[in-house]
Amino acid sequence: MSKAASPSSKLTRRNAIAAALAGVAAPALAGPALLTPDPVFAAIAAHKAACARLDQACLHVSRLEENIPEERRQEWFDGDREQGIGTNDDPRWTAALTAQRAAFSTETRMAWALAHAQPAGLAGAAALLRHAGAFEARAAGGPAIRKRSTATSGSSYSTTASQRHWRL
């Protein structure tokens, strides 16, 4: 006749999770050399900061778009200056577009750094997945399109610079 299994040897969800985490936690408990911070957290922080700067740059362009007459804000695209478009633009507009392009570039570099990041542990991997999910959800939702009167704008809908950002 066999003995009944002891409570600690039963396979329960709690025991399975503890066993799985023991393999991950053991190296961290082995010595201080292995307790270095996961570099993925710095990459996530850098990407969040770049996104915040890009949002601010897009909002600034949107505000200027509403406050500067259209004839003083002709430039939009990178090649416009080379084609002579926007030579008489308001200097605030030109500076805002330059800052926005720099913010786009920085955010893209930080996103690629995240794409190539290799978390050192489960906590870093989980944080990276949470950040990617939150970023994707935010990008998929995007800002809402504002409806404008056709009498004043000539079209039914208008998009701001920040709205165009999410479509690129």
Side-chain angles (χ1 to χ4, degrees):
M1 183 178 230
S2 67
K3 287 184 176 182
S6 69
S8 64
S9 66
K10 280 186 173 177
L11 183 58
T12 64
R13 182 172 48 169
R14 182 176 292 162
N15 288 342
I17 291 172
L21 292 178
V24 174
L29 298 173
L34 295 175
L35 292 177
T36 58
D38 194 326
V40 80
F41 291 109
I44 291 169
H47 185 248
K48 284 181 178 180
C51 287
R53 284 190 299 274
L54 177 57
D55 285 346
Q56 289 304 310
C58 289
L59 286 172
H60 182 61
V61 168
S62 292
R63 285 187 204 110
L64 288 177
E65 185 179 12
E66 294 173 356
N67 294 316
I68 296 174
E70 188 173 355
E71 63 273 1
R72 297 283 289 153
R73 52 177 177 80
Q74 294 297 303
E75 178 188 344
W76 274 108
F77 303 104
D78 293 340
D80 285 353
R81 288 181 192 173
E82 290 79 28
Q83 296 177 15
I85 298 171
T87 56
N88 293 322
D89 280 358
D90 187 304
R92 297 172 298 161
W93 181 250
T94 305
L97 289 180
T98 300
Q100 184 185 41
R101 287 183 184 115
F104 271 122
S105 179
T106 300
E107 188 278 332
T108 300
R109 282 195 324 274
M110 297 301 105
W112 276 110
L114 275 177
H116 295 290
Q118 296 182 356
L122 284 179
L128 182 58
L129 289 172
R130 277 192 306 274
H131 176 68
F135 181 78
E136 178 64 24
R138 178 178 166 228
I145 296 176
R146 296 175 300 168
K147 182 155 177 129
R148 267 197 197 166
S149 163
T150 56
T152 59
S153 68
S155 66
S156 298
Y157 295 93
S158 170
T159 59
T160 63
S162 59
Q163 291 164 337
R164 283 187 288 278
H165 157 70
W166 294 112
R167 293 188 186 143
L168 295 176

